[in-house]
Amino acid sequence: PLTDQQASPPPGLGSYKIADVVPGMSFSLVKNPGWGKLGIQYVPAGHVDVNVRITGNAAGDARAVLDNSADVFDWPDPIPAGLIAQIERRAPLRYFRRTMQGTDLIFLNVAGTPFSSQLVREAVRAALDQNTVVQLDSGMLRKGCYVLPPSLFGHPHDACPDGNKAGDGNLALARALVKRSGLAGASVVVWSETGSPVREWMSYYTSLLDQIGLKASLRAVPDRSYYSTIGNPHSHPQTGFGELDEDLPNPAGLYEQLIGQRASRTGSTNWGEIDDPYIDTAVRSLAVVPAGTLGGVENFWRQLELRVADRAYVAVLGYPTFPEFVSKRIDFRALIFSPVAGYDWSSFRLN
């Protein structure tokens, strides 16, 4: 639509129709009574009407679901750290953390000092304490060290590269690597969003760079303009936070964001300006493989993962997870949850 449709939404043509819209506050999805009779494959009829309240209060919403006064917690919202342990204790059969098809990482600009030095890049990876990173995200980040999340073909289920054990960081090793590089004392600007947990992660990372012998400062950019800022080909950001997302279960989507030719484009996601002919050639060749035959090239993707890890092109923070959390009224076992889009609302059923 070319205009705002909130006040008078279009008719629903699927399992539900939109009703009772109060802009910015609430709306309802009402079952389409004739949909089930059409027998549309893979698009089932809804089981219950869904009434949505927009509150802006994630803590209050989580407590409401925990106490069964609301039925479903909106999965993109973060559950406050102070509530997670209580939820896990009181509602273990209706709460689960889902790993999504994405990767949170620190990009390292290989086109300029100090991260043109592989020794410095290895130092960053060695120093990162992933236990601290996870704690700063209220335990919602799944530890990891490869670009591809575990759900995608090609993710190596090997131990992490030397220096990153997906646990305690090794500051002594990191300091030694920086000293060997001859770049101790180099100035570094760390780019960050202003929202949580990214601001906390990058503040920790900035402090870490100081501890291993570099001179770091933090530059925070409002979330709404962050990626357009660091993706500007004239910005040349040195290092900072980056999030890679994949809409389809295909590793090509993530790796196409890292190939060299993207570094010169406006809106680039190759923030580290990686220009590795091996990656470029491999991604172009593998990207044309049909989704149904990805298993046949899984080892090629795995080898690509190992190369990126061996070159320390990025420092992976982990893989985002999101809460699947409902009240006692909802049949938890019947829920369908997509690693891309979240809940299939037509799977909501009452016990």
Side-chain angles (χ1 to χ4, degrees), residues 186-190 205-207 209-210 214-218:
S187 297
V188 176
V189 175
V190 177
Y205 172 47
T206 302
S207 171
L209 292 178
D210 286 336
L214 300 172
K215 187 177 180 180
S217 60
L218 183 67

Side-chain angles (χ1 to χ4, degrees), residues 110-127:
V110 301
T113 56
F115 301 112
S116 54
S117 167
Q118 182 167 338
L119 291 172
V120 176
R121 300 197 303 270
E122 290 178 358
V124 170
R125 196 171 62 188

Side-chain angles (χ1 to χ4, degrees), residues 88-259:
E88 290 177 333
R89 185 179 68 254
R90 291 178 51 191
L93 300 181
R94 48 191 178 96
Y95 170 77
F96 186 74
R97 288 192 305 145
R98 291 282 181 185
T99 302
M100 307 301 277
Q101 287 179 183
T103 303
D104 290 338
L105 54 79
I106 293 171
F107 66 84
L108 305 164
N109 196 322
V110 301
T113 56
F115 301 112
S116 54
S117 167
Q118 182 167 338
L119 291 172
V120 176
R121 300 197 303 270
E122 290 178 358
V124 170
R125 196 171 62 188
L128 276 176
D129 182 344
Q130 288 198 324
N131 292 320
T132 297
V133 171
V134 170
Q135 289 170 6
L136 290 172
D137 189 28
S138 305
M140 294 303 292
L141 193 73
R142 177 174 175 176
K143 296 178 185 178
C145 51
Y146 294 102
V147 172
L148 296 178
S151 59
L152 291 184
F153 282 108
H155 172 85
H157 294 280
D158 311 59
C160 291
D162 289 344
N164 184 342
K165 304 303 182 186
D168 295 337
N170 189 333
L171 288 176
L173 173 59
R175 291 189 188 104
L177 289 168
V178 170
K179 185 175 181 180
R180 280 177 54 198
S181 75
L183 292 167
S187 297
V188 176
V189 175
V190 177
W191 290 76
S192 172
E193 297 178 7
T194 53
S196 294
V198 176
R199 180 66 177 261
E200 289 77 12
W201 282 340
M202 293 302 99
S203 294
Y204 160 69
Y205 172 47
T206 302
S207 171
L208 204 62
L209 292 178
D210 286 336
Q211 293 179 59
I212 66 175
L214 300 172
K215 187 177 180 180
S217 60
L218 183 67
R219 183 174 299 175
V221 177
D223 294 9
R224 65 182 179 278
S225 57
Y226 178 70
Y227 286 106
S228 62
T229 301
I230 66 171
N232 185 317
H234 302 295
S235 293
H236 302 292
Q238 282 181 290
T239 185
F241 175 75
E243 181 178 30
L244 302 178
D245 293 309
E246 174 50 45
D247 293 335
L248 299 172
N250 190 325
L254 287 179
Y255 263 95
E256 284 176 338
Q257 300 173 62
L258 292 178
I259 61 177

